[in-house]
Amino acid sequence: MIETKPIDGKAFAAGLRARVAEEVAHLAATAGLKPGLAVVLVGEDAASQVYVRNKAEQTAEAGMASFEHKLPVDTGEGELLALVARLNADPQVHGILVQLPLPAHIDATKVLAAIDPAKDVDGFHVVNAGRLAVGLDALVPCTPLGCILLLKHHLGSLAGLKAVVVGRSNIVGKPAAQLLLKEDCTVTIAHSRTRDLPGECREADILIAAVGRPEMVRGDWIKPGATVIDVGINRVPKADGKTRLVGDVAYAEAQGIAGLITPVPGGVGPMTIACLLQNTLTAAKRQAGLG
Ligand code: GUN
């Protein structure tokens, strides 16, 4: 029987935030530079409001400037594009994040394309996606970056390992696959049309689940001893009418099969904002000619 160990993303993220804060203090002392992050939220989406509040708090805790722009749900696309243009031109703003999802009347692709790639701390701009794909320095999407940092911390070199990423989104699946390839993994991207998804998953030394379906990946899809990274955050109803958070992996079933697994909550989730702070620091240094 394999002893399955949980990966403590909460503790690792706290360490990463502390390292970022230390470097921010050093930058202030030596170069008089204070990294600034602007977060734009359109509308009242409840989950987005929680994320944005956490981002603002943790940005301030790291010693960075936080600029919040909360706009009403009926904000026009032109108005949002004008705000992005102002933030692009603002020297105090080194990172710009437009919270997704945007209301349906706004073309998200157009808005993301309007962000200066040098300030694109989400790494969603096609310039950053392209730079990552061809192996140039890029701002990398925060959630997949968090996954890779956890993997490297626990496994050391990933070279030669077989990695299966379930999910092909631009936000997680595709950039995660690019990052694994950069680490010399053999990478498969699986998705809803994959034939024999359980069989593909069973080949994986590293299994990343990023599909947004509660507990879709079953215990018997996991190769014994594999490292499982669960990106899913799904709210499901409980018998008492309340809700609980579950991942994309059936966590209880993975016990005794996986070698390492990220829990939900407390695994990948806390890494996302920590990586956002790191990206903001990186962007600020590059814009100041220091990085
Ligand atoms: N909505 C949920 N997660 C994210 C994220 O990482 N970035 C942005 N911009 N929106 C999100």
Side-chain angles (χ1 to χ4, degrees):
M1 178 84 159
I2 288 167
E3 188 203 343
T4 302
K5 295 204 178 93
I7 293 177
D8 188 347
K10 200 171 162 190
F12 191 87
L16 180 55
R17 289 200 305 273
R19 290 195 292 281
V20 169
E22 222 169 88
E23 209 178 329
V24 168
H26 180 75
L27 266 186
T30 57
L33 176 65
K34 183 168 185 157
L37 172 66
V39 174
V40 181
L41 174 64
V42 184
E44 310 274 325
D45 181 74
S48 291
Q49 284 184 335
V50 175
Y51 283 138
V52 168
R53 196 178 330 123
N54 288 340
K55 278 171 196 161
E57 274 173 23
Q58 294 184 26
T59 306
E61 271 169 31
M64 299 184 184
S66 171
F67 306 97
E68 266 185 74
H69 296 267
K70 291 191 173 169
L71 308 178
V73 69
D74 59 357
T75 299
E77 188 178 278
E79 236 175 299
L80 181 56
L81 289 170
L83 171 60
V84 168
R86 283 202 302 282
L87 296 173
N88 281 342
D90 185 341
Q92 285 185 299
V93 172
H94 304 94
I96 302 169
L97 181 146
V98 177
Q99 185 69 27
L100 302 177
L102 286 168
H105 67 276
I106 296 177
D107 180 349
T109 308
K110 204 163 160 185
V111 174
L112 296 180
I115 296 172
D116 178 348
K119 297 190 176 185
D120 169 37
V121 284
D122 256 331
F124 294 165
H125 194 288
V126 288
V127 165
N128 281 312
R131 290 180 68 90
L132 174 63
V134 297
L136 294 172
D137 271 345
L139 287 166
V140 174
C142 304
T143 300
L145 181 58
C147 296
I148 298 296
L149 293 179
L150 289 176
L151 284 167
K152 285 172 74 170
H153 178 72
H154 285 88
L155 300 178
S157 168
L158 310 182
L161 297 178
K162 176 142 173 69
V164 175
V165 180
V166 189
R168 55 176 154 178
S169 71
N170 292 333
I171 292 178
V172 184
K174 283 184 211 162
Q178 295 288 1
L179 289 168
L180 290 163
L181 193 57
K182 205 165 143 209
E183 296 300 326
D184 299 318
C185 291
T186 302
V187 184
T188 299
I189 306 179
H191 47 78
S192 54
R193 304 294 294 270
T194 295
R195 279 189 217 147
D196 188 17
L197 184 56
E200 290 291 344
C201 292
R202 252 176 242 126
E203 299 283 314
D205 304 305
I206 294 169
L207 180 58
I208 298 190
V211 281
R213 285 171 173 264
E215 301 184 322
M216 187 182 89
V217 175
R218 312 310 311 187
D220 66 358
W221 297 19
I222 299 168
K223 175 171 159 176
T227 300
V228 180
I229 304 290
D230 189 349
V231 181
I233 302 176
N234 308 290
R235 205 166 271 287
V236 296
K238 288 196 300 187
D240 64 3
K242 294 185 181 157
T243 61
R244 68 189 175 105
L245 287 183
V246 301
D248 291 347
V249 180
Y251 190 80
E253 289 181 16
Q255 300 304 308
I257 305 171
L260 290 161
I261 185 168
T262 56
V264 177
V268 174
M271 291 298 293
T272 298
I273 297 181
C275 288
L276 175 68
L277 300 179
Q278 190 180 55
N279 278 352
T280 305
L281 173 61
T282 302
K285 284 197 304 190
R286 285 187 191 152
Q287 283 160 56
L290 300 169

